[in-house]
Amino acid sequence: MEVTWREAVERALYGAEGFYLRERPGRHFRTSVHASPVFAEAVLRLLERVDAALGHPGVVGFADVGSGDGLLAARVVAAAPPDLTERLRAVAVDLSPRPAGLDARVAWEPEVPYGITGLVVANEWLDNVPLDVAEMTPAGPRLVLVDPATGAERPGPVPDPEDLAWLDRWWPLGRAGERAEIGRPRDEAWAGVIARLARGTAVAVDYAHLAGRRPDLGTLTGYRDGSAVPAVPDGSCDVTAHVALDACAAAGERAGARATTLTTQREALRDLGVTGARPPLALASADPAGYVRTLGRASQEAELIDPAGLGGFGWLSQSRQQGRETS
């Protein structure tokens, strides 16, 4: 029986025996976290900036949302300097079971805790928040219904008024056949993160697009074993769609966020010291082993900031009640 894409993906990814309840993301697609430890180092530098801006509170939180295997949180905890480690409370947020062997200093929760003072990072999380798909027909916008077993589609009912308003504001449909992914559930998910942040900064990193440059046919796709596959919501693969991060930013501001920055991963990581600069050739003669190590790191940095790859990801940063403690 056909259902909406949102319902089908919710079941496929997060239902009983859903894809994300039984699989670890690193097996199926390459994220910045798994590409290089450099990403975690940059996140730690950002956490240190946030800590300083907050006046070095007695407890500083770090939440890794959509953590998967907890690797980002574990690397941040392992690399934190002693003065931060003493105050750091790290939590990996994921619906899957806690991985065996995860650093005991990293808590494991199914939801973002309330009242975090510090940094929240959601790396490739919003793209897996299920949403509905709309298609323009000669009779106007219609929800797309899908058979979860086969991926076969057909036009369904008119979207509800809230979704029609979202489409009109963020992804207007023109010609018949054009499609849009209704990002309202992502907006609500991100607003929920901001609402749980007492003081500090929240960052979302994801495949993204902006108003005026949305793809005519949408972005739904599947991933399995490192390869793109048809987006069939039967639980056998990841099903993802790019994120309207500008809409999420507006939702975050309505939830109380301030100081919004919407940029690319390339620019954000460069600001955090990730440059991809190759070592001077003279080092090859003076210190061959050091040259090889530095060259390898430069290669890792270059992958993270490649504008045609990971560096092209959207990077949304929003702060809430940032400032020094008065007590």
Side-chain angles (χ1 to χ4, degrees), residues 53-142:
L54 291 171
H56 305 290
V59 175
V60 60
F62 173 69
D64 172 19
V65 184
S67 183
D69 56 9
L71 183 59
L72 176 59
R75 283 177 169 170
V76 167
V77 165
D83 65 304
L84 179 57
T85 299
E86 294 172 356
R87 298 177 290 114
L88 184 58
R89 302 294 181 271
V91 57
V93 179
D94 205 273
L95 295 175
S96 62
R98 180 186 180 95
L102 180 65
D103 192 315
R105 294 172 293 179
V106 178
W108 190 266
E109 298 290 344
E111 295 182 346
V112 178
Y114 281 96
I116 291 178
T117 294
L119 175 64
V120 178
V121 173
N123 183 60
E124 295 195 47
W125 171 60
L126 286 171
D127 67 297
N128 285 127
V129 173
L131 40 57
D132 282 322
V133 177
E135 182 170 325
M136 179 60 81
T137 73
R142 294 291 185 271

Side-chain angles (χ1 to χ4, degrees), residues 15-201:
E17 296 301 312
F19 183 82
Y20 273 113
L21 272 63
R22 68 175 196 274
E23 299 283 346
R24 299 295 182 192
R27 175 186 164 189
H28 297 279
F29 51 87
R30 184 178 178 83
T31 71
S32 296
V33 177
H34 296 92
S36 170
V38 171
F39 185 78
E41 293 172 12
V43 168
L44 175 57
R45 283 193 288 274
L46 178 58
L47 175 60
E48 290 176 311
R49 287 186 185 180
V50 171
D51 180 41
L54 291 171
H56 305 290
V59 175
V60 60
F62 173 69
D64 172 19
V65 184
S67 183
D69 56 9
L71 183 59
L72 176 59
R75 283 177 169 170
V76 167
V77 165
D83 65 304
L84 179 57
T85 299
E86 294 172 356
R87 298 177 290 114
L88 184 58
R89 302 294 181 271
V91 57
V93 179
D94 205 273
L95 295 175
S96 62
R98 180 186 180 95
L102 180 65
D103 192 315
R105 294 172 293 179
V106 178
W108 190 266
E109 298 290 344
E111 295 182 346
V112 178
Y114 281 96
I116 291 178
T117 294
L119 175 64
V120 178
V121 173
N123 183 60
E124 295 195 47
W125 171 60
L126 286 171
D127 67 297
N128 285 127
V129 173
L131 40 57
D132 282 322
V133 177
E135 182 170 325
M136 179 60 81
T137 73
R142 294 291 185 271
L143 290 180
V144 177
L145 301 182
V146 60
D147 182 337
T150 66
E153 298 177 327
R154 68 174 177 85
V158 177
D160 64 30
E162 291 85 357
D163 285 343
L164 287 172
W166 190 93
L167 288 168
D168 185 62
R169 169 65 181 87
W170 295 107
W171 199 334
L173 291 171
R175 300 182 304 276
E178 288 186 1
R179 291 163 64 111
E181 290 130 13
I182 305 173
R184 197 161 62 89
R186 277 101 180 263
D187 297 354
E188 294 169 354
W190 183 246
V193 169
I194 296 298
R196 294 172 187 232
L197 182 67
R199 300 170 61 232
T201 297

Side-chain angles (χ1 to χ4, degrees), residues 238-279:
D238 177 31
V239 179
T240 180
H242 294 199
V243 182
L245 271 185
D246 45 357
C248 292
E253 290 175 352
R254 292 192 297 271
R258 299 293 182 268
T260 295
T261 300
L262 184 53
T263 185
T264 64
Q265 174 159 300
R266 176 180 176 83
E267 295 307 315
L269 290 187
R270 285 168 67 90
D271 180 62
L272 291 166
V274 180
T275 66
R278 295 169 64 89

Side-chain angles (χ1 to χ4, degrees), residues 221-236:
T221 191
Y223 284 97
R224 185 191 302 117
D225 297 328
S227 299
V229 297
V232 178
D234 61 358
S236 69

